[in-house]
Amino acid sequence: MKISNRSSRSTGGRRASAAVALGAVLALTATACGDDGSGAGGDKGAEGSGKGKIVFWDNNGGIRTAVWKEIIADFEKANPDIDVEYVGIAATEYQSKVDTAIQGGGLPDVGGVGAAMLAGFSAQKALEPLDDRLAKSSLNGKLNKDMIESLKAAGGGDGTLYSVPTSANNGVLYYRTDLFDKAALDAPTTWDKFYEAAEKLTNEDKNEFGYTIRGGSGSIAQALDAMYGQSGITSFWDAGKKKTTVNDPKNVDALEKYAALYKKATPAADVNNDFAKMTAQWDTGTIGMLNHNLGSYQDHVKALGVEKFRGIPQPVGASGKRVQVSNPVDGLGVFKSSKNKEAAWKFIEFATSVEQNSKFNESAGQVPSHTEAAKAAWIQKAEPTKLAAEALNDGSTTIVQLPYYLPDWNTLSKSESEPQFQKVLLGELSAKDFLDSLAEKLNEAQAEWTEQMG
């Protein structure tokens, strides 16, 4: 095994830039070859012998290098005729490096391909469709269906699978069990109990609050989770896939209720807090509840100890069902330019097998994609991961698939919406006006995408 450490515009402007950007990526069919012998985005590659060398790019190099080295060592032991060259690339640099290689050559055989970057890679014709390979694989029927659907939806809207899921970083409602017990409150397993606790645990004079709301960077995903969780609406688009449900009256009502918590049951500083400030505030203060994901669990353990808090799946709505928006799913894809797709696929099969998928996710602290790995012993010791895995695998949770495939999605859901959501929190903009405006932009982006895809 070889180890390397490479690690506000107008509506018309959006339409023009989106069309130009999409047209550009679809036109990228350069065929120059890179140093590793692999080609560029338009190259067709070959099945190969299933033996010899393959190159693997890790999309979270450094943080995940150690566990990938273990998995690769196990793979090479089980497949002595295949040599895997590992290239670790920092998560912040990965997409740009892949985009550069798609245009100029040097793509790996196999690499990390998560939902957030999937549409761009697939639009450039850089990824191998994996539906047929998975159907013939021992993995067929063994992987979490919602994770597969998330990756299919993110791939461009045509239902093709370009990435095999490895894990999901699920949303979690953390709550202080010591504070809940003192106030004789039930666990916040429903939205009604959540709001009751937010009110009763707040005493501003003592700097005690029932909840900390995310008003800064990353706020929109959390707000969408709260909206769809309360409304019970299970699709981001209407039946014709032309209009978003984001401004459905039920979602408007849900956002009004959620945003009304600000300063009544939350600290005033929350309007500017990103996840780092929000979680640090929760770990060091007397705040009853926090919405985040599995990634912060160990920080809470260090700060509070396991006896003072729990992490549970998002509350269920009035119907008794849990609805969540999709969290970005991570996965592995075969690049179409690979000259040894058979060996690359063998690596993916091995890495997502029960034992290896369990090993990877124990290290990452995330929910395994393999349904049997989700029952592993280590999960029983990490309650938030255990409960999240159960919620994703037992049929109790419906996932609303966010449109990661839209070229404008990141802009709409971050830089354009976050300042507007802050105005909603401050009472300067109504929830309805905010969601109506967002819906108009989303509907336009969806129409543009549909037109471009033919």
Side-chain angles (χ1 to χ4, degrees):
M1 175 176 59
K2 300 174 183 177
I3 305 297
S4 172
N5 289 320
R6 285 175 269 175
S7 8
S8 169
R9 54 191 173 170
S10 69
T11 299
R14 171 177 293 106
R15 179 181 295 110
S17 63
V20 170
L22 185 56
V25 297
L26 290 174
L28 291 174
T29 55
T31 56
C33 291
D35 294 338
D36 61 7
S38 297
D43 292 1
K44 295 182 179 180
E47 279 298 302
S49 64
K51 301 178 182 180
K53 174 186 169 183
I54 58 172
V55 177
F56 166 57
W57 282 11
D58 174 13
N59 61 342
N60 203 356
I63 294 175
R64 303 283 180 250
T65 295
V67 68
W68 274 121
K69 287 172 67 174
E70 289 185 33
I71 292 171
I72 290 170
D74 290 346
F75 174 75
E76 290 180 336
K77 184 177 180 181
N79 298 271
D81 52 359
I82 302 176
D83 177 52
V84 180
E85 178 182 344
Y86 171 89
V87 181
I89 301 172
T92 54
E93 301 175 6
Y94 188 78
Q95 184 162 351
S96 64
K97 285 187 177 291
V98 174
D99 283 335
T100 298
I102 289 173
Q103 298 179 54
L107 284 168
D109 298 278
V110 60
V113 183
M117 64 186 75
L118 187 52
F121 296 167
S122 64
Q124 296 177 79
K125 311 300 182 186
L127 296 170
E128 180 79 1
L130 300 177
D131 299 89
D132 290 344
R133 296 178 193 270
L134 180 60
K136 299 172 184 177
S137 169
S138 60
L139 293 173
N140 191 30
K142 301 293 185 180
L143 302 178
N144 182 280
K145 293 180 180 178
D146 284 326
M147 294 189 198
I148 289 177
E149 288 306 311
S150 289
L151 290 176
K152 284 186 175 183
D158 64 355
T160 301
L161 182 69
Y162 292 106
S163 180
V164 174
T166 56
S167 58
N169 196 0
N170 209 47
V172 177
L173 178 60
Y174 293 103
Y175 73 98
R176 289 281 299 270
T177 50
D178 55 341
L179 302 181
F180 271 68
D181 289 344
K182 184 179 179 181
L185 287 165
D186 292 335
T189 54
T190 69
W191 283 102
D192 285 343
K193 291 179 179 179
F194 166 84
Y195 282 108
E196 178 188 5
E199 179 183 352
K200 289 190 175 181
L201 292 174
T202 297
N203 187 332
E204 191 172 357
D205 292 340
K206 295 183 178 181
N207 203 35
E208 298 172 350
F209 299 94
Y211 184 58
T212 174
I213 197 169
R214 189 168 181 170
S217 177
S219 61
I220 303 304
Q222 182 173 302
L224 290 173
D225 228 3
M227 285 164 44
Y228 281 91
Q230 293 174 80
S231 72
I233 295 170
T234 57
S235 176
F236 196 79
W237 302 103
D238 65 10
K241 302 245 180 227
K242 294 182 178 179
K243 292 186 177 181
T244 180
T245 59
V246 76
N247 63 333
D248 183 282
K250 292 181 180 178
N251 276 334
V252 173
D253 289 345
L255 186 61
E256 285 178 347
K257 189 172 184 180
Y258 180 71
L261 291 172
Y262 176 64
K263 289 185 72 174
K264 293 180 181 178
T266 80
D270 280 0
V271 71
N272 293 312
N273 280 356
D274 58 12
F275 89 90
K277 294 176 182 177
M278 182 179 66
T279 55
Q281 180 177 257
W282 194 71
D283 286 340
T284 58
T286 51
I287 300 174
M289 295 176 290
L290 160 77
N291 272 116
H292 193 234
N293 57 46
L294 295 167
S296 61
Y297 173 65
Q298 292 300 333
D299 291 333
H300 306 324
V301 171
K302 292 176 183 176
L304 301 169
V306 295
E307 69 281 354
K308 288 187 178 180
F309 81 99
R310 288 184 71 200
I312 62 175
Q314 299 285 47
V316 299
S319 67
K321 299 289 186 179
R322 179 180 298 105
V323 178
Q324 293 181 216
V325 299
S326 53
N327 280 268
V329 175
D330 207 2
L332 297 170
V334 175
F335 286 92
K336 187 175 288 187
S337 61
S338 170
K339 305 301 189 295
N340 201 347
K341 295 176 186 176
E342 183 178 343
W345 175 251
K346 285 181 181 178
F347 178 70
I348 289 179
E349 280 189 305
F350 185 87
T352 48
S353 63
V354 177
E355 180 181 353
Q356 303 301 327
N357 191 239
S358 178
K359 178 186 296 183
F360 176 82
N361 283 285
E362 181 176 10
S363 172
Q366 296 180 349
V367 179
S369 61
H370 198 295
T371 54
E372 293 300 315
K375 302 174 184 176
W378 66 268
I379 290 182
Q380 310 308 311
K381 301 175 184 177
E383 187 187 35
T385 306
K386 172 188 174 184
L387 295 177
E390 290 175 352
L392 289 175
N393 285 293
D394 65 7
S396 66
T397 302
T398 299
I399 303 296
V400 177
Q401 302 295 346
L402 298 179
Y404 299 115
Y405 59 86
L406 291 177
D408 268 347
W409 171 247
N410 283 338
T411 300
L412 289 175
S413 64
K414 295 183 184 296
S415 59
E416 291 197 13
S417 290
E418 288 172 356
Q420 300 305 304
F421 180 62
Q422 288 180 320
K423 290 183 179 180
V424 174
L425 295 179
L426 294 169
E428 299 172 359
L429 181 68
S430 72
K432 184 178 187 304
D433 286 347
F434 167 61
L435 293 178
D436 282 346
S437 175
L438 176 58
E440 182 180 357
K441 296 171 186 176
L442 285 165
N443 293 338
E444 179 189 3
Q446 176 76 351
E448 290 169 355
W449 175 258
T450 301
E451 181 181 354
Q452 289 291 332
M453 297 301 291

